[in-house]
Amino acid sequence: MAEIGVKMEVDSDGVAIITISNPPVNAFAIPSKLLFNRFSLICLFSPFFSHSNLNQNDRFLISDFFSRLNVMVFLIVSLKEKVGEAMSRDDVKAIVLTGRRGKFSGGFDINVFQKVQQTGELSLLPDVSIDLVLNTIEDAKKPIVAAIEGLALGAGLEVAMGCHARIATPKAQLGLPELSLGIIPGAGGTQRLPRLLGLPKAIDMMLTSKPILSEEGNKLGLIDAIVPSQELLKVSRQWALDIAEKRKPWVRSLHSIDKIGSLSEAHEIIKLARQQAKRTSPNLPQHQACLDVIEEGIVQGGYPGVLKEGKLFNELVVSDTSKGLVHVFFAQRATSKVPNVTDIGLKPRAIKKVAVIGGGLMGSGIATSLIVNNIYVVLKEVNSEYLLKGIQMIEANVRGLVARKKLAQSRADKALSMIKGVLDYTEFKDVDMVIEAVIENLQLKQKIFGEIEKACPPHCILATNTSTIDLDLIGEKLRSQDRVVGAHFFSPAHVMPLLEIVRSEKTSAQVILDLMTVGKVIKKVPVVVGNCTGFAVNRAFFPYKQSADLLVLLGVDLFRIDRLINNFGLPMGPFQLADLTGYGVAVAVGKIYANAFRDRLFKSPITDLLIRNGRNGKKNGKGYYIYEKGSKPKPDPLVLPIIEESRKLANLMPQGKPISVTDQEIVEMVLFPVVNEACRVLEEGIVVRAADLDIASVLGMSFPSQRGGIIFWADLVGSKHIYASLKKWSEKYGNFYKPSRFLEERAMNGVPLVRNLKSILLIYRFTNPS
């Protein structure tokens, strides 16, 4: 805590250097008398922290929470005080505002937004935009120059834009990423960025949440000069004095209009941006809100724009969209903490060389992820033909990354030099890890693991990419079962960000930690899960296609189902997804699920009929949709007779007539069974925390991030509604919809599905004493 604060030093030249310090990124925090009073009140009752009802983790969370509140009170108030002091001192001519330890500011502490969302108290968000940035900084009577190093993001950039000039070091990051959290810039960013950068680039930066480097900012006018780090303060001081002595212009960016262009041009730019946002982000209200505020400022002026910005910011920060996105933000970061793995003092071992067995779609994708991140790969196949195809797929993957500008050509060339194809185990003698990626066949996997245990060194991690098969069965005949782990990638493996790390009761903590480290090296988000059929993500989502099939057999149009699920926010509906994965995989995986979950399985004749009619989805261009090169998938009317045949075989339609359901009911009938199975995953302890299943559903199944993940969304909907709906459908359509015990208990007791609620509820009570 000693490093947190705002310091001011005045040199003999009359320039006050004000330095913000709040490690690690000098985040701004939000002041509130209400918070201060509550913090003081709790301090009076500090003995509560030793209460026997609180475990060590609860006490830590509460202590950390109130520490953060104290910082929130202190930091911006202190910044205002220092600026005010500099204004009142006769020996101060100008001010330089900077951040400590090579970073200007990473913006507001996102914990603040989460606390607002948990409590619903907008009073935690005072008007920083006008009070601090406009009144204190931009309208100051002495010039203020921002000296930017490292990064100026979010409120950090907004504060810098309120200054009268900006000097930066090379490669400093500048951005307004607020829309990625479901909100808009709330400290004048929607008004000042267009005036400094020009409207097209400012809109692009805000809507994509992508930062730019200081070099680009300098070319466009956001940055006044770029200087080496060691000269940053020297140049900034001189710049501030030059403004004070009228040798350089005194620019108040909120009043600048020269980069906006004519009103008609601005309207056209915003109109095109609205159309693009509707196409790419139809379920994200913050995009249109941001454009509304930008337009207000252009038409009515900067100050009315700032007022509207504040109003919409307050509305968005408590919206379900922002709650979901903020939850995902924290959920992703929480995955790096695994009890009895990351907290017991282990150090990750270096993984320099990995063998991948199987060069098909998954194996080639895994190998691609490894080599583009400087890990040597030995790719093994059963014959030269398959090996050549595997190498060619890897080369195509790398070329695709270069074409999409995800990889520089020089790095691509190096990556392709780091792979070696083999037909035996000779090269396995010095590998640090093996990842088996063959078809979902238990006997084949057992045979391979028996062979690699003999061929690999004793420290080698023995990993499988199986998506469904129980890990204990794969390794049951091995001596080294502590080295067996699941490394479940999602297709395409070199693109999808999730790595599901599956541990059995025998998997060592060291192996889990090593694989987590590899996951981070290859830019995946590792989520550690327990061992069961389907593990966490596939286990939770195995009813997804089955529930859609059941609806079709009840008479619902399959293309309507896909359209509604797509409108809900998933990139494609269950039938298009089935086309993409292929029906052969569906049949193989279906047998595994049938053995594991026969009490709640729904078996549909549709897939078998499709295969019998020569359809295998995207693989052969014919499935529920038609696939033609260069065109988007189109619904295939020729599949409808097959659907009709399926309905006759199933004979589920009441009195032979299609059921009547609303759009909302269709979405719920497809997704509530997924929630139900996710509840069983929670009850069985397959995931460390509910948030892990949320982030896994977002990154592995592309569940819409703005909905926070499958469990978070379910809690927004309400366990009582989900339970009542499933119970009603189970009485009509059978055990497939039967509510789980976990869901029933939570619904009956009015408790959210998310686990470990004690600390959250305690914090809520403290911040809501009434």
Side-chain angles (χ1 to χ4, degrees), residues 377-380 387 391 416-422 427:
V377 170
V378 175
L379 180 69
K380 183 187 180 300
L387 182 59
I391 296 291
L416 291 174
S417 73
M418 299 183 75
I419 187 159
K420 182 176 183 179
V422 299
E427 295 287 335

Side-chain angles (χ1 to χ4, degrees), residues 109-129:
D109 185 344
I110 298 172
N111 286 279
V112 177
F113 300 140
Q114 192 176 54
K115 300 305 178 285
V116 171
Q117 291 165 355
Q118 289 171 355
T119 64
E121 288 200 37
L122 286 170
S123 60
L124 306 187
L125 293 169
D127 190 1
V128 174
S129 176

Side-chain angles (χ1 to χ4, degrees), residues 55-74:
N55 61 35
Q56 185 177 0
N57 188 54
D58 290 327
R59 289 196 293 273
F60 170 78
L61 285 174
I62 295 169
S63 176
D64 177 67
F65 176 66
F66 286 111
S67 294
R68 287 181 182 277
L69 295 191
N70 199 24
V71 173
M72 293 175 202
V73 173
F74 177 61

Side-chain angles (χ1 to χ4, degrees), residues 108-158:
F108 280 131
D109 185 344
I110 298 172
N111 286 279
V112 177
F113 300 140
Q114 192 176 54
K115 300 305 178 285
V116 171
Q117 291 165 355
Q118 289 171 355
T119 64
E121 288 200 37
L122 286 170
S123 60
L124 306 187
L125 293 169
D127 190 1
V128 174
S129 176
I130 295 199
D131 191 36
L132 175 68
V133 181
L134 180 60
N135 292 345
T136 303
I137 295 176
E138 190 168 60
D139 287 349
K141 295 178 181 178
K142 298 174 184 178
I144 304 176
V145 171
I148 300 169
E149 187 172 11
L151 51 79
L153 301 175
L157 181 58
E158 290 179 287

Side-chain angles (χ1 to χ4, degrees), residues 215-445:
E215 286 78 2
E216 185 177 0
N218 181 231
K219 288 178 183 177
L220 295 172
L222 177 59
I223 298 299
D224 293 285
I226 296 179
V227 299
S229 178
Q230 63 271 23
E231 295 189 18
L232 178 61
L233 287 182
K234 176 185 174 183
V235 173
S236 299
R237 299 167 84 106
Q238 187 58 53
W239 204 287
L241 286 171
D242 287 346
I243 295 175
E245 294 167 9
K246 300 183 180 180
R247 292 190 294 269
K248 289 189 184 296
W250 187 320
V251 178
R252 288 183 170 89
S253 55
L254 193 62
H255 302 281
S256 300
I257 58 171
D258 56 304
K259 289 193 176 182
I260 295 297
S262 70
L263 197 56
S264 60
E265 288 172 337
H267 279 310
E268 186 61 27
I269 291 168
I270 292 172
K271 177 184 175 183
L272 292 173
R274 286 192 190 281
Q275 293 170 351
Q276 174 74 4
K278 284 178 182 177
R279 287 194 300 270
T280 59
S281 310
N283 296 307
L284 300 177
Q286 68 269 30
H287 288 69
Q288 297 299 332
C290 186
L291 292 168
D292 288 345
V293 172
I294 292 170
E295 191 165 34
E296 175 81 5
I298 290 169
V299 175
Q300 302 296 336
Y303 188 73
V306 165
L307 293 179
K308 183 162 185 173
E309 177 192 82
K311 179 178 179 293
L312 290 188
F313 177 92
N314 285 351
E315 292 175 6
L316 289 167
V317 78
V318 292
S319 68
D320 285 349
T321 296
S322 183
K323 289 176 183 176
L325 290 169
V326 169
H327 173 72
V328 166
F329 176 89
F330 284 108
Q332 181 166 332
R333 280 145 186 82
T335 59
S336 62
K337 296 179 181 178
V338 181
N340 300 316
V341 174
T342 60
D343 57 356
I344 58 175
L346 292 174
K347 301 294 181 184
R349 299 173 296 184
I351 305 293
K352 297 179 180 179
K353 186 177 180 181
V354 175
V356 177
I357 300 177
L361 180 65
M362 288 304 301
S364 61
I366 294 168
T368 303
S369 286
L370 293 165
I371 62 174
V372 299
N373 289 288
N374 298 315
I375 297 176
Y376 285 93
V377 170
V378 175
L379 180 69
K380 183 187 180 300
E381 261 295 0
V382 293
N383 59 47
S384 299
E385 180 186 354
Y386 284 177
L387 182 59
L388 178 61
K389 285 181 180 178
I391 296 291
Q392 289 173 339
M393 288 175 72
I394 293 166
E395 291 172 345
N397 289 342
V398 172
R399 286 196 301 270
L401 292 172
V402 173
R404 296 195 301 275
K405 298 183 178 179
K406 302 287 185 181
L407 192 69
Q409 185 61 54
S410 58
R411 282 188 60 198
D413 294 338
K414 182 183 178 183
L416 291 174
S417 73
M418 299 183 75
I419 187 159
K420 182 176 183 179
V422 299
L423 298 175
D424 58 33
Y425 292 113
T426 305
E427 295 287 335
F428 283 45
K429 61 182 180 297
D430 61 346
V431 297
D432 302 305
M433 179 166 67
V434 177
I435 302 176
E436 166 271 309
V438 302
I439 60 173
E440 292 289 82
N441 181 292
L442 176 60
Q443 289 70 35
L444 176 59
K445 290 179 186 289

Side-chain angles (χ1 to χ4, degrees), residues 639-649 653:
V639 80
L640 297 181
I642 300 172
I643 299 300
E644 284 304 315
E645 185 179 353
S646 300
R647 286 170 177 160
K648 289 176 183 177
L649 287 172
M653 289 191 291

Side-chain angles (χ1 to χ4, degrees), residues 668-717:
E668 292 179 348
M669 290 182 79
V670 171
L671 293 179
F672 283 4
V674 177
V675 173
N676 201 26
E677 194 63 33
C679 286
R680 296 185 178 99
V681 170
L682 295 182
E683 184 176 28
E684 294 170 24
I686 301 300
V687 289
V688 173
R689 55 187 75 83
D692 284 0
L693 188 51
D694 281 331
I695 198 66
S697 69
V698 169
L699 300 181
M701 285 299 294
S702 298
F703 193 85
S705 57
Q706 69 269 19
R707 298 189 186 274
I710 189 67
I711 299 297
F712 189 87
W713 171 71
D715 274 336
L716 288 177
V717 173

